[in-house]
Amino acid sequence: MQPFFITTPIYYVNDLPSIGHSYTTFACDTIARFQRLHGRDVLFSTGTDENSQKNIEAMEKSGETDIASYLAKMASSWKQTWLDLHITFDDFIRTTEDRHLKAVERFWNASKESGDIYLGTYEGSYCVGCERYVTETEAESGVCPFHPNRPLSKISESNYFFRLSSYRDELLKYYEDHPDFIQPESRKNEIIRYVSDHLDDISVSRSADKLSCGIPVPGDETQRIYVWFDALINYMTVAGFGTDDERVKKYWPNTTHVVGKDIIKFHCALWPAMILSASKSDPLLKELRERGHVLPKKVFAHGFFTIDGVKISKSLGNAIDPRKLEPVYGIDAIRYFVFREITFGEDGDFSMNRLQERYVSDLSNTLGNLVHRTVSMSRKYFDGKVPDVKPNEAGNLLFGEKTFSISQGIDSLEKQVYSNLDEQLRIDTALSLVFSDEYIGTFNLIRANGYIEETKPFKLIKENPEETGRVLYALLESLRHYAWLLLPIMPSVAKKMIENLGQDFDLELKKGIKTLQLWGGLQPGAVLPEPEILFARLPEE
Ligand code: MSP
């Protein structure tokens, strides 16, 4: 199976992680866990974007004076936050690391050799908030449309330019030949319009005496590399560009970038153009290009969310630190909430009320209760054990309209959840498949709860203990399947579910997903322990 590389954007360290940054990181963590569970060799990276003027301004505001120690302190807080949130990243890159300087130099030199970097004069406006040159049309009213309160820097200086405009046709052709490159579909049209109409050459360096940060331009100490040009290369640095060619060959061919919609142009236009340029001269990139693997496989841009209807902003101080929510809800409930509540790819709102509502109704009352009821009834009626019945007979029971058997319903649920998580990265759809009643023919949580109402095991036990055993076995075995389905999104909850079924999580995991997916993995007659509560009651307000 081809190795899999997934990346978050590298975050600026002018602030600490908010729930917005966590959203992207949770998404990548979910996909990385999903791919690992399916046997893939995964490289999952995140990190910090450190060569930015924003960071310097933030340091000055904080009263510190030593940039290196400020950057190190902030980078370590970001890393610690991801560790506290149980993010399973394999690499944490800082763009001030030596390995990155090597990669950037090699990349710059290759692009220069390809004839795509030339000296010119830049005159215009720059927005430090965006770390971007703002066009005249955009700055019509004298301010940046995204940062109206920040004065624009007027610049007139000699800079290096990147011949972005000469990649228009190649980019458009790549989008056409690779319809899955930009996702979701709505973003693709935005990029195609931008590349067709506005793809001008861009300045990729600044004069060193105007800028106190940035990687020096190779061979020209008077200039520093534009922060985005360096930042995008981080992905290649992680793959091993500049330090380990074999590693690049292994991981780069199947790369997925997950980003917010704010930075999609950089990832879908500038970045591929940069790679195409460097691949004309760099032997390793040339080889990858010849094999059709030089450009990333996918860029998925998700939407932005507001908090209780208000844009997240530093000045309003309304950014939520996800670590503060953790003691009350647990990390998994936060992960569940953001992906169940907000369509992945569209804008949405993070509302504390909705979080509480979903915690109680979906998690505690639907999932938590189903597990508790099913395990408790089995323990009570079957001597503390999984009913000793034939798994296939239990799986053949019919549900709902009685057109599908339970094991068929589980199988169809699994197939749909997997296909949503694998190619399309639709974590929201995967969750709604498990938690909503709109899907016919799948035996999901809602159906399972309905099935208890339909069969009433608490009455049936008096009339037909054997049938009750089959009903409860089918429900317990379904819970086992839900646990593995939910694992990438809610890893701790999934583990507890497996333990509530009396199984050893680590031993089970070793069997591999193909085996875990077979109907009947739960041993008839196995001991069922006292079930542990999955979702604790919320404290009274
Ligand atoms: N350093 C650049 C990225 C360079 S990648 C080569 C940057 N950093 S950032 O710290 O500003 O992070 C931006 C990213 O954080 C967004 O693209 C998005 O992934 C995430 N989000 C920040 N706030 C968010 C919301 N309110 N909602 C959703 N995602 C948000 O840009």
Side-chain angles (χ1 to χ4, degrees), residues 21-73:
H21 307 110
S22 309
Y23 183 52
T24 321
T25 311
F26 284 150
C28 292
D29 184 63
T30 297
I31 301 301
R33 287 177 188 265
F34 172 80
Q35 294 292 351
R36 281 189 207 113
L37 182 64
H38 286 257
R40 280 230 160 95
D41 177 352
V42 172
L43 175 60
F44 164 25
S45 78
T46 188
T48 42
D49 190 351
E50 302 192 4
N51 302 307
S52 155
Q53 270 173 277
K54 270 167 165 330
N55 301 336
I56 303 225
E57 287 179 5
M59 174 196 73
E60 284 164 357
K61 261 199 199 140
S62 76
E64 293 190 39
T65 48
D66 180 28
I67 188 68
S69 80
Y70 174 80
L71 292 174
K73 189 182 78 185

Side-chain angles (χ1 to χ4, degrees), residues 194-207:
Y194 162 71
V195 170
S196 309
D197 303 342
H198 300 287
L199 206 66
D200 300 326
D201 290 357
I202 64 156
S203 163
V204 286
S205 76
R206 297 285 310 276
S207 159

Side-chain angles (χ1 to χ4, degrees), residues 25 31 41 50 62 71 87 91 94 107 122 127 140 165 192 202 205 310 359 425 465 479 527 539:
T25 311
I31 301 301
D41 177 352
E50 302 192 4
S62 76
L71 292 174
I87 301 298
D91 197 345
R94 299 182 53 198
F107 202 99
Y122 183 80
C127 173
E140 219 171 25
S165 63
I192 292 177
I202 64 156
S205 76
V310 181
Y359 182 91
L425 314 189
L479 290 177
V527 172

Side-chain angles (χ1 to χ4, degrees), residues 9-12 18 20-21 23-24 49 228 231-232 234-235 259-260 262-263 267 302-305 312:
I10 45 169
Y11 303 106
Y12 292 126
S18 76
H21 307 110
Y23 183 52
T24 321
D49 190 351
W228 267 100
L232 288 162
N234 93 81
Y235 304 127
V259 299
D262 53 332
I263 54 178
H267 284 82
H302 62 69
F304 256 51
F305 55 77
I312 306 179

Side-chain angles (χ1 to χ4, degrees), residues 102-211:
K102 286 202 181 94
V104 171
E105 272 185 22
R106 175 167 162 187
F107 202 99
W108 177 281
N109 287 334
S111 192
K112 186 137 189 267
E113 204 182 315
S114 306
D116 287 327
I117 289 183
Y118 63 94
L119 258 181
T121 306
Y122 183 80
E123 261 180 65
S125 305
Y126 189 84
C127 173
V128 178
C130 301
E131 286 288 18
R132 188 175 68 93
Y133 296 94
V134 177
T135 62
E136 264 174 47
T137 341
E138 281 180 311
E140 219 171 25
S141 49
V143 291
C144 164
F146 302 104
H147 299 93
N149 300 326
R150 260 175 178 268
L152 285 169
S153 316
K154 292 279 175 218
I155 296 178
S156 170
E157 60 183 43
S158 171
N159 286 172
Y160 287 97
F161 280 69
F162 174 65
R163 237 178 265 286
L164 181 57
S165 63
S166 68
Y167 287 93
R168 180 179 296 115
D169 294 346
E170 254 181 286
L171 288 176
L172 291 172
K173 176 147 182 10
Y174 188 74
Y175 306 150
E176 202 182 317
D177 293 347
H178 300 84
D180 293 337
F181 174 58
I182 305 171
Q183 287 185 18
E185 193 72 21
S186 53
R187 303 275 171 225
K188 193 193 299 182
N189 302 331
E190 176 190 330
I191 292 296
I192 292 177
R193 242 176 291 129
Y194 162 71
V195 170
S196 309
D197 303 342
H198 300 287
L199 206 66
D200 300 326
D201 290 357
I202 64 156
S203 163
V204 286
S205 76
R206 297 285 310 276
S207 159
D209 48 86
K210 303 244 174 57
L211 208 61

Side-chain angles (χ1 to χ4, degrees), residues 493-538:
V493 167
K495 182 165 186 273
K496 264 195 205 166
M497 282 172 73
I498 291 296
E499 287 164 358
N500 276 355
L501 295 171
Q503 295 192 315
D504 180 314
F505 180 81
D506 293 323
L507 277 184
E508 289 300 304
L509 187 61
K510 283 205 186 101
K511 292 182 180 165
I513 192 70
K514 284 263 174 323
T515 305
L516 294 170
Q517 251 181 286
L518 299 174
W519 181 264
L522 204 56
Q523 186 63 39
V527 172
L528 280 174
E530 171 96 36
E532 205 189 317
I533 300 284
L534 294 183
F535 302 97
R537 253 178 204 287
L538 293 180

Side-chain angles (χ1 to χ4, degrees), residues 383-439:
D383 199 20
K385 292 180 182 148
V386 174
D388 198 356
V389 297
K390 294 209 168 64
N392 281 346
E393 287 179 7
N396 287 341
L397 293 171
L398 304 177
F399 68 96
E401 305 296 311
K402 312 254 187 252
T403 33
F404 301 97
S405 72
I406 291 184
S407 62
Q408 273 174 335
I410 288 285
D411 194 47
S412 139
L413 176 67
E414 277 167 348
K415 288 205 172 90
Q416 293 186 58
V417 168
Y418 292 162
S419 87
N420 273 284
L421 288 178
D422 191 11
E423 285 298 314
Q424 303 164 43
L425 314 189
R426 288 301 299 267
I427 309 172
D428 57 323
T429 314
L431 270 184
S432 80
L433 275 156
V434 182
F435 280 85
S436 115
D437 58 7
E438 51 188 279
Y439 302 92

